[in-house]
Amino acid sequence: MTQIPVPSPGHAPPLIEQRGLYFDELDLGVTYAHRPGRTVTETDNVLFTTMTMNTQPLHLDAAWSAQQPLGQRLINSMFTLATMVGQSVTQLTQGTIIAQLGLTDVSFPHPLFHGDTLYTETVVLEKRLSATRPGQGIAVMKHTGRNQHMVAVAVATRSALMWTEDAHKASRRLS
């Protein structure tokens, strides 16, 4: 039987904080697979669509959508995009990002439907140290969301301003 070490009086046990990767830990060309996937429900779609005031019947009206070329309601593409970026956070940017700078080249090559599961992968395309912000860098990432059949349903390129590890630790000591 393994014994759990008990800290001696006056000493706290080690603390391990979950975080994303620092700018200096990102590797170019590596595929980061974000798991688990996220099975998208009708409730997700209806709530997101109505919260964002999107009245598109392709997301809300089952009878109308049944008469359209795809024959059913589609998951709101903005929900797909937000979920795809969100799936990458714990592995890549949680606590290590300063700001999202932009999204470009966003496309939705195949629809996502109720009951589909979204899996996201990210490849770091570029990274460079900031010319004006010491200890920070800009990373350009390509996110690809796929359904359970591994068909691409969303693709987006994202730029983020991120901390280097040493600069972030130094900033925390100062505060």
Side-chain angles (χ1 to χ4, degrees), residues 4 10 14 19-20 33 47 58 60 68 102 120 136 163-165 167:
I4 298 173
R19 65 165 174 84
L47 283 175
L58 277 172
L60 297 171
Q68 300 309 305
T120 298
Q136 300 172 11
W163 284 108
T164 62
E165 185 173 9

Side-chain angles (χ1 to χ4, degrees), residues 6-19:
V6 178
S8 58
H11 290 79
L15 174 67
I16 299 172
E17 183 177 335
Q18 182 173 337
R19 65 165 174 84

Side-chain angles (χ1 to χ4, degrees), residues 34-98:
H34 313 300
R35 301 295 185 262
R38 172 69 158 77
T39 300
V40 182
T41 68
E42 177 181 12
T43 300
D44 296 326
N45 194 40
V46 171
L47 283 175
F48 184 89
T49 299
T50 56
M51 282 191 311
T52 57
M53 300 180 66
N54 182 337
T55 59
Q56 176 54 252
L58 277 172
H59 307 309
L60 297 171
D61 187 330
W64 187 85
S65 297
Q67 304 303 313
Q68 300 309 305
L70 295 172
Q72 62 181 304
R73 286 173 290 166
L74 310 178
I75 298 297
N76 186 315
S77 58
M78 295 296 98
F79 177 88
T80 303
L81 178 63
T83 304
M84 185 172 66
V85 170
Q87 285 178 312
S88 74
V89 168
T90 55
Q91 190 174 18
L92 294 180
T93 61
Q94 183 168 306
T96 58
I97 191 173
I98 298 161

